[in-house]
Amino acid sequence: MFNAFRTIIMRDLLLAMRRRSDVLTTLFFFVIVVSLFPLGIGPELNTLRLIAPGVFWVAALLASMLALEKLFFVDYQDGALEQMLLAPQPLSVLVLGKLLAHWLVTGLPLVLLSPLLGLQYDLSTATIGTMMLTLLIGTPALSLIGAIGAALTLGLRGGGVLVSLLVLPLYIPVLIFGAGAVEAEASGLGGAGHLSMLGAILLLAALAAPLATAAALRISAE
């Protein structure tokens, strides 16, 4: 089972490197959205520090949704999904491997790039550290939750729009607690409570999302 899990991760990472344009699209989208606000609002530092948590998290949420439509679509087209369904290993384990690879190429770069972008908003070192921590916890939750919607709409015409309608309401708690932790840290109140809730959401998503996604893939494949 572990070998299959590792093979799925390495396969998806290799495919992602061959389709670097898809990975760079998500990253550039995040950079552009975050960078446009300082240009549009102007050099008022107090305002920039105030809006930074919401801007970063909305940009991360939209960037995550941008990559969801193709999460299972390529496997669906080339027949790899059918082989996964027939594999002796549990489908939920294979799905978890795909989601981990998906986060490594779409979520982790956002986390690593956030300190540099945070300088545009004059954020303190502690606030930037909290921002990175919330993104490190929250972006995997976004991938896990979004995978359910991507599996349910697999093969449907206009699936990208349907994915957005399905997963946006489920993303709201992640957005609230992620941005809230950064705001609390910036105001000196401490974001431990928000981080705990964000961690609980990630744990619940890690337990439930692979099973729900596997069931949705079986339905879509039929």
Side-chain angles (χ1 to χ4, degrees):
M1 187 182 300
F2 178 75
N3 288 334
F5 178 77
R6 183 181 60 184
T7 301
I8 285 289
I9 294 175
M10 298 304 297
R11 169 187 175 271
D12 281 23
L13 290 178
L14 179 61
L15 291 177
M17 292 303 100
R18 291 177 178 176
R19 301 193 303 267
R20 286 188 290 269
S21 59
D22 295 339
V23 178
L24 294 177
T25 298
T26 303
L27 184 59
F28 285 152
F29 179 85
F30 178 74
V31 172
I32 290 172
V33 170
V34 172
S35 300
L36 282 178
F37 281 87
L39 296 175
I41 293 175
E44 180 56 45
L45 296 181
N46 290 330
T47 303
L48 292 176
R49 284 192 293 266
L50 184 64
I51 68 171
V55 170
F56 270 80
W57 264 99
V58 169
L61 186 151
L62 295 176
S64 175
M65 289 182 56
L66 194 64
L68 284 180
E69 188 177 359
K70 295 184 178 180
L71 180 56
F72 300 109
F73 186 69
V74 176
D75 293 334
Y76 178 75
Q77 280 190 319
D78 63 13
L81 179 59
E82 296 180 1
Q83 299 301 316
M84 291 171 59
L85 294 173
L86 296 174
Q89 292 81 12
L91 182 58
S92 58
V93 174
L94 304 181
V95 167
L96 187 60
K98 285 188 65 66
L99 294 181
L100 179 57
H102 176 264
W103 176 77
L104 288 175
V105 298
T106 60
L108 185 59
L110 307 187
V111 179
L112 299 177
L113 199 59
S114 59
L116 181 61
L117 297 175
L119 297 177
Q120 300 180 80
Y121 292 81
D122 194 39
L123 298 178
S124 65
T125 303
T127 304
I128 290 176
T130 303
M131 176 81 74
M132 291 187 67
L133 184 58
T134 58
L135 290 173
L136 187 62
I137 300 173
T139 48
L142 295 179
S143 295
L144 288 163
I145 296 170
I148 302 174
L152 287 172
T153 59
L154 184 62
L156 298 179
R157 182 176 299 177
V161 177
L162 292 175
V163 169
S164 302
L165 295 175
L166 285 173
V167 304
L168 269 178
L170 301 177
Y171 277 174
I172 291 176
V174 182
L175 175 65
I176 291 174
F177 291 115
V182 183
E183 291 174 357
E185 181 64 34
S187 61
L189 299 176
H194 294 83
L195 288 172
S196 298
M197 291 300 298
L198 200 59
I201 293 173
L202 174 59
L203 180 60
L204 181 62
L207 293 174
L211 297 174
T213 303
L217 287 174
R218 294 187 186 278
I219 294 172
S220 297
E222 293 175 358

